[in-house]
Amino acid sequence: MPEQRPFQSYLRGAAFRTAATGHHGLTPGRLRSRELDAPFHGVRTLGIRADNVFDRCLSYEPLLARNHVFCAQTAAALLGLPLPRSLRADTRLHVGALGGQGPRRAGVIGHRLPIDTPCADSVGGFTVTDAASTWCQLAAALSREELTAAGDFILSGIRRPGGGRSDALAQLEELRAAVSRHGAGRGATALRWALEHVRVGVDSPQETRLRLALVAHGFAEPVIGFPVAVDHGTLTLHPDLAWPDLRLAIEYEGDEHRESKRRFRADIRRREKFEAAGWRVIRVTADDLGEELRAFITRVRAIVAGRRAELAR
């Protein structure tokens, strides 16, 4: 059996339509090579694992029409928005057609979008619906609390080492305009609720959940990132949440706080600095926002009551 010619080097890590095989010098028999994958009908890929949203979009790219953009959950993932695990596990792509009928294809959910839907480039270079429009599209799949967490991310950007932040994906006015365009579409009630509860400066979806849970149980809304002077005024720390009048800092601690020795030790020093400055720290874990929520709320009520009594003396 004659030895097969290797694939052109430029095909590795790429996706191409089977209709263009002649351009690439491939025969019908070569298309059946075990080296090639067929993620969609009429498409072949070489060296793309497609185990993440970027690679799945790359695999679909040859099928995109000029008026097609990634939207909804796919756009959200490409933009980095926090999504619940169930949506992250869904490998289907959401593709919208601007002013036309969305595509119908296995592994793809098509959407018909207004022709004037604002669009942007994702980090990977794919054209997606802009962050505000994408947020509204998510209202069909997310709870109002999950929408708030996604909106917080859009408005806040990502905290960088050293305290700075990346640029926000949208401003509050853009979210308001997008909600107005969305009108009475699916999830409109949840969107309007979330729009009233989104905030700037939030570091994580868990922080959003914590803030919303406290407010839902009758506590005053805590301040996000309140500046606290420590070390006799030589250093400023910013707790996740705070009730400044009670000098109560609320810190959410995810698994990385426990698994990283460096982070664990830094957290101890951070708490000591707060306490030396006359503040008390309430530490919160995932369990406190889940199965142990009732006990957590009871604990916080006791701490708040005790703090008020202490400061009144």
Side-chain angles (χ1 to χ4, degrees):
M1 182 176 179
E3 184 177 348
Q4 292 183 326
R5 294 173 55 190
F7 291 104
Q8 299 283 358
S9 60
Y10 65 82
L11 291 178
R12 188 162 297 280
F16 56 93
R17 300 189 68 154
T18 55
T21 53
H23 173 73
H24 300 302
L26 300 177
T27 64
R30 197 72 172 109
L31 284 178
R32 293 191 291 271
S33 168
R34 293 182 178 179
E35 291 184 67
L36 296 177
D37 292 310
F40 301 100
H41 179 71
V43 173
R44 296 293 184 272
T45 63
L46 179 64
I48 299 178
R49 296 180 59 184
D51 58 357
N52 60 75
V53 66
F54 176 85
D55 283 351
R56 289 194 295 274
C57 290
L58 184 62
S59 298
Y60 186 79
E61 193 171 26
L63 299 174
L64 288 173
R66 294 185 65 179
N67 68 327
H68 285 183
V69 297
F70 293 113
C71 63
Q73 287 93 307
T74 301
L78 289 171
L79 291 169
L81 273 60
L83 295 172
R85 184 177 302 175
S86 58
L87 294 191
R88 296 199 306 269
D90 189 343
T91 60
R92 293 174 297 177
L93 296 178
H94 290 256
V95 181
L98 299 173
Q101 185 66 41
R104 296 182 178 180
R105 186 178 292 269
V108 175
I109 298 176
H111 299 258
R112 184 185 186 95
L113 301 176
I115 195 168
D116 58 350
T117 300
C119 295
D121 289 335
S122 71
V123 174
F126 298 109
T127 302
V128 300
T129 49
D130 76 330
S133 301
T134 299
W135 185 62
C136 292
Q137 294 158 11
L138 292 174
L142 300 185
S143 69
R144 64 186 193 178
E145 290 81 10
E146 291 166 340
L147 277 173
T148 304
D152 284 352
F153 178 89
I154 289 172
L155 296 180
S156 301
I158 300 173
R159 184 180 293 278
R160 290 172 172 157
R165 285 187 178 276
S166 62
D167 292 337
L169 293 176
Q171 302 301 315
L172 183 58
E173 293 74 17
E174 295 175 90
L175 293 188
R176 289 197 180 108
V179 171
S180 179
R181 291 194 302 268
H182 188 80
R186 292 182 63 189
T189 300
L191 265 179
R192 289 193 296 271
W193 188 92
L195 185 62
E196 294 299 316
H197 290 81
V198 292
R199 300 290 184 266
V200 177
V202 181
D203 286 336
S204 71
Q206 292 78 14
E207 184 182 311
T208 300
R209 289 179 58 204
L210 173 57
R211 184 182 83 246
L212 295 179
L214 290 170
V215 172
H217 285 83
F219 294 99
E221 180 169 341
V223 179
I224 298 167
F226 182 80
V228 178
V230 299
D231 286 354
H232 306 289
T234 62
L235 177 67
T236 300
L237 296 179
H238 301 266
D240 294 334
L241 301 169
W243 285 306
D245 58 325
L246 298 176
R247 282 183 284 172
L248 275 175
I250 311 168
E251 297 269 77
Y252 181 85
E253 299 187 0
D255 286 341
E256 71 276 8
H257 292 256
R258 172 180 54 82
E259 295 170 353
S260 168
K261 291 183 179 179
R262 182 176 180 181
R263 187 68 177 269
F264 178 73
R265 292 165 181 162
D267 286 342
I268 293 175
R269 292 192 294 271
R270 179 180 173 90
R271 181 176 182 178
E272 289 174 345
K273 291 179 185 297
F274 277 126
E275 292 176 344
W279 283 66
R280 176 164 180 179
V281 179
I282 301 174
R283 303 169 71 184
V284 187
T285 67
D287 288 344
D288 293 323
L289 299 180
E291 297 178 355
E292 299 178 13
L293 178 60
R294 181 177 297 181
F296 168 68
I297 293 299
T298 299
R299 176 163 62 93
V300 175
R301 288 194 198 283
I303 293 173
V304 168
R307 193 65 171 162
R308 285 200 178 110
E310 179 183 353
L311 295 176
R313 289 198 292 268

